[in-house]
Amino acid sequence: MLTVEKIGGTSMAALKEVLSNIIFYKEDHIYNRVFVVSAFWGVTDLLLENKKTGAPGVYHKIAKHQNFHGNLHDLTLKLKEINRRYTDLGLDVAAADEFIETRINDAQHYLENFASILASGYVSQDSILQAAREILASIGESHSAFVLTNILQSKGLNATFVDLSGFHDTKLYTIDQRIRHTFKEIDLAKTICIVTGYTKGTEGIMREFDRGYSEVTFSKIAVELKPTEAIIHKEYHLSSADPGIVGIENCIPVGNTNYDIADQLADVGMEAIHPKASKPLEIHGINLRIKNTFDPAHPGTLITTNYICPHKRVEVITGTDKVVMIDVFDPLMVGNAGSDLQIMQIFADFNLSYIFKVTSANSISILIWEKHFNKKLVKALDAYFEKTTVEKMAMVCLLGTNMDQPGLLARSTTALTESGVNIKSAGVALRKVNIQFLVAREDFNGAVKALNNALSESI
């Protein structure tokens, strides 16, 4: 049984549990396993920017033509501090320190050259900065993969460090070509592979997928190796609702679902897997299991292509309070076949995709992520339409592979009404795998709780 498995950054920070709960949990299944690892928790934030707050990392010093050497020095100290945490697990700290010193020194040399080229003003800033971003991103995964490999080797395992960062490789491979070339000589039955979540390729994995790159590497390796199962180890279960909102006692792990629901989850920011990573798995018929690192006995959530729940129920209640609604009004819209097209073209010009849209005779309301909102968008819309209104909102969703049941919508709206939540807008597509309610931001948690309480018997 061959498995390709992904270990996230938060789980990687708990290496003791990774060893006991994942790698050694089934002692008869050590080899024929490929582990794609993220950087240790918080490291990529220091290299690029904080994923949640946007706080700048080393990359932004370079982008602003500022001195970045101090930041790289601090990063080296941080990674050495991480190394020392794992002495008792068998890590050769001296070897790990030497590895990261060499890697960061080499990266610094490249980045200094980039800074000089940027200062000349003769080349495109975008291409140089993208290359800098790629180099920086690769450091975190190379470090974590080296550390885990070294620990496993110290325990007598035949562990192979698979560094896909191509740091000193001048061959012009695409991402797929690099993966294929790297694995063709590895006997998977006789080794456990620890692989960097970053892969160097001519198309640029950061350019194509940004911070979702480690899951894309994981997906591409799975497609290449065709495992029995692909597995992602996270620090939590994929649950019927957010335990932090409804309480862990009021939700359950999702046992089975399909890739359509995985896409719906990603659309509202609750990623079981990055949508650009899930699609190749779906197309190639590779089953994906989401497991909780800290609950190894639980089978987790199995995501397959064709799963349909045998009985009607809501599988997940989720949503986000980080969205804004853009309402475009014009009395000339009624009967005009081109209004929607014109609005969508303006959104495309700003490289914006939406996650909800509803129309009436004279208005079209579109929901986007707040972080993607640009005030210039309103100006562009106002140039063609009478009035554009922007309002901060939250969206709560009911998701399920088989939840088309009489009365579900009525029970949901009643639950929200009785809890004092005003529904600002709502929508459901014909396939009925996602029912969406737009509410005020301050009502988000209350809406999730109300729906969970009202529908818990059908989950």
Side-chain angles (χ1 to χ4, degrees):
M1 177 179 176
L2 171 65
T3 57
V4 174
E5 307 181 38
K6 162 78 166 53
I7 306 177
T10 303
S11 293
M12 281 299 294
L15 267 189
K16 183 177 180 181
E17 286 74 15
V18 166
L19 294 173
S20 61
N21 295 351
I22 298 176
I23 294 176
F24 293 114
Y25 187 69
K26 293 183 178 180
E27 294 184 356
D28 60 341
H29 185 206
I30 299 295
Y31 298 139
N32 258 329
R33 299 176 81 185
V34 175
F35 287 96
V36 179
V37 299
S38 294
F40 289 110
W41 182 84
V43 170
T44 307
D45 289 345
L46 296 175
L47 286 160
L48 302 176
E49 64 278 320
N50 188 291
K51 192 174 183 179
K52 292 183 178 179
T53 68
V58 178
Y59 168 76
H60 291 270
K61 288 283 187 178
I62 299 169
K64 294 179 180 179
H65 308 284
Q66 296 173 350
N67 189 304
F68 57 87
H69 295 80
N71 297 74
L72 278 182
H73 175 71
D74 292 344
L75 177 70
T76 304
L77 295 179
K78 174 66 175 178
L79 297 185
K80 287 183 176 181
E81 177 189 332
I82 291 174
N83 292 343
R84 290 193 294 273
R85 295 175 192 169
Y86 304 119
T87 304
D88 61 339
L89 297 182
L91 177 65
D92 183 342
V93 174
D97 285 355
E98 181 182 1
F99 174 84
I100 202 59
E101 283 178 357
T102 302
R103 184 57 58 96
I104 290 181
N105 284 339
D106 289 346
Q108 180 172 307
H109 176 70
Y110 289 139
L111 295 171
E112 286 171 343
N113 288 337
F114 287 168
S116 296
I117 294 171
L118 284 172
S120 73
Y122 284 107
V123 296
S124 166
Q125 178 171 288
D126 290 345
S127 60
I128 295 296
L129 288 179
Q130 188 60 52
R133 195 167 175 83
E134 298 275 342
I135 288 172
L136 287 167
S138 73
I139 294 173
E141 275 77 18
S142 296
H143 170 245
S144 60
F146 179 91
V147 167
L148 182 52
T149 305
N150 185 275
I151 290 172
L152 294 176
Q153 290 171 344
S154 76
K155 296 182 182 300
L157 293 185
N158 181 20
T160 301
F161 172 41
V162 182
D163 189 356
L164 295 176
S165 68
F167 216 72
H168 296 295
D169 187 350
T170 59
K171 295 183 179 67
L172 298 178
Y173 290 132
T174 65
I175 296 169
D176 290 333
Q177 288 170 340
R178 185 172 299 281
I179 289 170
R180 188 173 303 116
H181 174 79
T182 301
F183 278 96
K184 70 178 181 181
E185 302 297 334
I186 299 176
D187 186 348
L188 299 174
K190 296 180 179 179
T191 188
I192 180 172
C193 291
I194 309 300
V195 190
T196 58
Y198 174 89
T199 306
K200 179 182 177 182
T202 52
E203 64 269 54
I205 199 166
M206 287 292 295
R207 183 184 301 113
E208 291 292 316
F209 309 106
D210 201 56
R211 294 291 286 269
Y213 62 84
S214 62
E215 289 189 354
V216 171
T217 291
F218 158 76
S219 172
K220 286 180 174 291
I221 290 173
V223 168
E224 175 64 26
L225 300 182
K226 298 176 176 58
T228 306
E229 196 169 83
I231 304 171
I232 295 180
H233 300 276
K234 292 180 177 283
E235 69 275 17
Y236 51 80
H237 284 296
L238 180 59
S239 298
S240 56
D242 185 344
I245 295 176
V246 304
I248 195 167
E249 70 281 2
N250 295 317
C251 61
I252 59 172
V254 178
N256 296 82
T257 193
N258 61 34
Y259 279 107
D260 188 0
I261 299 302
D263 288 342
Q264 305 295 330
L265 287 166
D267 204 35
V268 293
M270 186 183 171
E271 285 185 8
I273 182 173
H274 192 286
K276 291 186 178 179
S278 67
K279 203 54 58 181
L281 298 178
E282 180 181 1
I283 290 169
H284 288 84
I286 299 172
N287 294 342
L288 172 67
R289 191 177 297 275
I290 309 295
K291 288 196 57 120
N292 184 337
T293 299
F294 305 101
D295 188 7
H298 196 285
T301 301
L302 184 64
I303 302 173
T304 58
T305 302
N306 298 316
Y307 175 80
I308 300 295
C309 184
H311 58 277
K312 294 187 181 299
R313 69 185 182 103
V314 175
E315 292 170 19
V316 184
I317 298 171
T318 186
T320 176
D321 60 352
K322 297 176 174 59
V323 289
V324 295
M325 181 75 93
I326 300 169
D327 182 76
V328 183
F329 168 82
D330 196 298
L332 297 180
M333 276 188 189
V334 60
N336 182 1
S339 298
D340 191 28
L341 175 63
Q342 194 170 19
I343 292 171
M344 288 297 95
Q345 184 57 60
I346 293 172
F347 271 68
D349 292 342
F350 282 84
N351 195 29
L352 285 174
S353 63
Y354 63 87
I355 53 179
F356 175 92
K357 183 170 72 169
V358 65
T359 68
S360 68
N362 292 324
S363 68
I364 298 177
S365 299
I366 302 168
L367 194 76
I368 66 170
W369 289 101
E370 184 177 17
K371 63 184 177 182
H372 296 155
F373 175 69
N374 186 332
K375 290 182 179 179
K376 293 180 180 178
L377 173 67
V378 175
K379 186 176 181 179
L381 291 167
D382 282 343
Y384 295 95
F385 302 97
E386 183 171 308
K387 185 179 181 181
T388 304
T389 305
V390 180
E391 184 176 344
K392 294 181 179 180
M393 284 197 184
M395 179 167 66
V396 184
C397 305
L398 307 180
L399 306 179
T401 58
N402 181 16
M403 63 176 191
D404 184 13
Q405 53 186 286
L408 177 59
L409 188 58
R411 288 160 59 204
S412 301
T413 55
T414 298
L416 292 173
T417 301
E418 291 180 348
S419 65
V421 175
N422 181 38
I423 301 170
K424 291 177 173 289
S425 186
V428 53
L430 184 62
R431 292 179 57 248
K432 295 184 175 64
V433 296
N434 186 353
I435 298 176
Q436 302 159 307
F437 299 100
L438 277 296
V439 301
R441 280 197 178 175
E442 59 269 23
D443 289 334
F444 176 67
N445 284 7
V448 173
K449 290 179 183 178
L451 291 171
N452 191 65
N453 290 338
L455 306 175
S456 58
E457 76 279 2
S458 69
I459 291 177

